[in-house]
């Protein structure tokens, strides 16, 4: 989806608006830091599957991928007629949700700030 989005950005004119809801970084962790799909055997499909460190590294790989893709999109935007006056909003709805202890009422006092 990121490639067609970047192509659409390249065609932007002053007054155009684009909204994209991109669920990255997010499980399932299916791409590496180079944005290439990982082999099925390396996918971490949901919270709780894989070690804490494996989930965290998979999340960070997706962050690196997305950072590169956003950079490519911003570069494309800067080359458009309205690019210098463009407003870009990037919003996340939650953190990684990679936790050691589920921070809920039943585990009160057992989790720390990292959870």
């Amino acid at each position: 989806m990121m490639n067609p989005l970047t192509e659409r950005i390249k065609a932007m004119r002053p007054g155009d608006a684009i909204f994209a809801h991109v669920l990255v970084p997010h499980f399932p962790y299916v791409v590496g830091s180079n944005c290439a799909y990982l082999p099925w055997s390396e996918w971490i499909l949901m919270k709780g599957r894989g070690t804490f460190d494996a989930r965290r590294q998979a999340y960070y790989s997706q962050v690196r991928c997305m950072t590169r893709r956003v950079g490519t999109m911003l570069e494309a935007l800067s080359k458009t007629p309205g690019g210098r006056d463009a407003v870009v909003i990037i919003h996340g709805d939650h953190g990684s949700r990679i936790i050691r202890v589920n921070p809920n009422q039943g585990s009160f006092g057992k989790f720390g700030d990292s959870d």
Side-chain angles (χ1 to χ4, degrees), residues 23-63:
L23 295 175
V24 175
H26 206 284
F27 70 90
Y29 303 113
V30 300
V31 298
S33 59
N34 62 356
C35 298
Y37 285 103
L38 299 170
W40 169 260
S41 61
E42 294 180 32
W43 288 16
I44 298 176
L45 300 173
M46 65 182 87
K47 296 182 286 184
R49 180 172 173 206
T51 66
F52 176 84
D53 287 334
R55 292 190 323 255
R56 186 174 58 183
Q57 289 307 314
Y59 177 85
Y60 292 156
S61 288
Q62 283 195 357
V63 168

Side-chain angles (χ1 to χ4, degrees), residues 22-108:
V22 182
L23 295 175
V24 175
H26 206 284
F27 70 90
Y29 303 113
V30 300
V31 298
S33 59
N34 62 356
C35 298
Y37 285 103
L38 299 170
W40 169 260
S41 61
E42 294 180 32
W43 288 16
I44 298 176
L45 300 173
M46 65 182 87
K47 296 182 286 184
R49 180 172 173 206
T51 66
F52 176 84
D53 287 334
R55 292 190 323 255
R56 186 174 58 183
Q57 289 307 314
Y59 177 85
Y60 292 156
S61 288
Q62 283 195 357
V63 168
R64 284 188 288 279
C65 165
M66 203 58 199
T67 300
R68 286 186 182 105
R69 292 298 176 111
V70 168
T72 299
M73 289 188 294
L74 293 175
E75 184 177 336
L77 179 63
S78 73
K79 296 176 182 176
T80 67
R84 296 188 127 209
D85 296 321
V87 175
V88 177
I89 300 170
I90 299 173
H91 167 28
D93 63 342
H94 58 75
S96 73
R97 294 189 178 170
I98 299 173
I99 54 177
R100 293 185 191 274
V101 178
N102 191 5
N104 60 30
Q105 185 177 4
S107 61
F108 187 76

Side-chain angles (χ1 to χ4, degrees), residues 1-20 73 76-77 80-81:
M1 191 228 37
M2 300 305 288
N3 290 336
L5 179 59
T6 300
E7 290 304 310
R8 172 63 186 93
I9 288 170
K10 289 178 182 178
M12 289 187 76
R13 298 286 173 241
D16 287 353
I18 295 177
F19 176 86
M73 289 188 294
L77 179 63
T80 67

